[in-house]
Amino acid sequence: MADQSPPVEWRISEAPVPYADAVAEMEARAAAIAEGHAPELAWLLEHPPLYTAGTSAKPQDLLWPDRFPVHASGRGGQYTYHGPGQRIAYVMLDVKRRASRTTPEGDRTGDVRAFVSLLERWLIETLSEFGVRGETRADRVGVWVRRPEKGQGREDKIAAIGIRLRRWISLHGVSLNVEPDLSHFAGIVPCGITAHGVTSLVDLGLPVTMTDADLALKRAFERCIGCTR
C-alpha cells in the first residue's frame, strides 16, 4: 500500500528537454525539497538523442562516440541511451519517507536498496497494464522481458533505472522504452551488458502511445509509491 505522505507533484513536458537543462532543474528542485521549500516531484519527459555515462561507465563501452552527444552523469550505472520515443521519469523523492528503515540505534534512515526495488515494482506494474511481464535479475540492472522467439534464454531490456541521492532526496530515475529507435542503442554497450538485447512496447507488437504509457505510469505510481497532484 502507498503511504499517506503529501502528494507528489506530477509534471509532463511535451517538448524534448535538453539534458543539461533537466539536470539543472533536478538539482535545484532536490535542494528545495531537502530544505522543505518544495514538494516531491515526478517529472516525465523525453530527451533529444544522446548517451549518458554513469559513474561506472567504461570507455570501451562507448562504441560510437561521435554519433550523439555524450553527457557525464552523476547517477549510478554505466552507459545509457535517451531519445525520442523513450519516456524518462525523473523522480525527486524523499527516500527516508518513501523507503525507510530503522537503524540498530533506533534512528530512521533511508533504505537505498528498498527504494530501487520500489522503482522496479513501479515499472513492472506499469508494464503489466499492457499485458507485459517485466522481471528483474540479481546480476543486472533494469527491467527485462523474456524473448523465447529470439533464442533460448534470450531476454531484452525494456526499462532502465539509475539514481543518485543528495541529502536523501533522489535524482534521475527510470526510463521506459515506448517507441524509441532501437538502432540508436548500437552506439553503446547498454549498461555494460552484451549477452542480451533491448526492446520496447511497440517492438513487442503493442500499439502503445506515449499518452497511454503516461497514464499507466501514473496509475502504477499511485499504487506503488504515493498519491500525485
Side-chain angles (χ1 to χ4, degrees), residues 77-107:
Q78 303 186 40
Y79 280 105
T80 60
Y81 164 77
H82 294 315
Q86 182 189 71
R87 178 52 89 204
I88 307 295
Y90 288 136
V91 288
M92 286 133 274
L93 300 175
D94 184 338
V95 176
K96 287 185 177 181
R97 174 181 293 159
R98 304 293 170 179
S100 64
R101 64 180 176 86
T102 303
T103 69
E105 295 75 27
D107 298 321

Side-chain angles (χ1 to χ4, degrees), residues 30-113:
I33 294 168
E35 295 292 338
H37 301 320
E40 297 166 289
L41 172 66
W43 182 17
L44 276 59
L45 54 85
E46 292 173 271
H47 285 309
L50 57 91
Y51 297 128
T52 65
T55 54
S56 302
K58 301 173 184 176
Q60 65 268 26
D61 287 345
L62 181 59
L63 306 178
W64 199 338
D66 299 325
R67 188 172 192 182
F68 298 124
V70 180
H71 296 267
S73 172
R75 60 158 178 81
Q78 303 186 40
Y79 280 105
T80 60
Y81 164 77
H82 294 315
Q86 182 189 71
R87 178 52 89 204
I88 307 295
Y90 288 136
V91 288
M92 286 133 274
L93 300 175
D94 184 338
V95 176
K96 287 185 177 181
R97 174 181 293 159
R98 304 293 170 179
S100 64
R101 64 180 176 86
T102 303
T103 69
E105 295 75 27
D107 298 321
R108 183 167 169 266
T109 188
D111 187 328
V112 178
R113 183 169 296 180

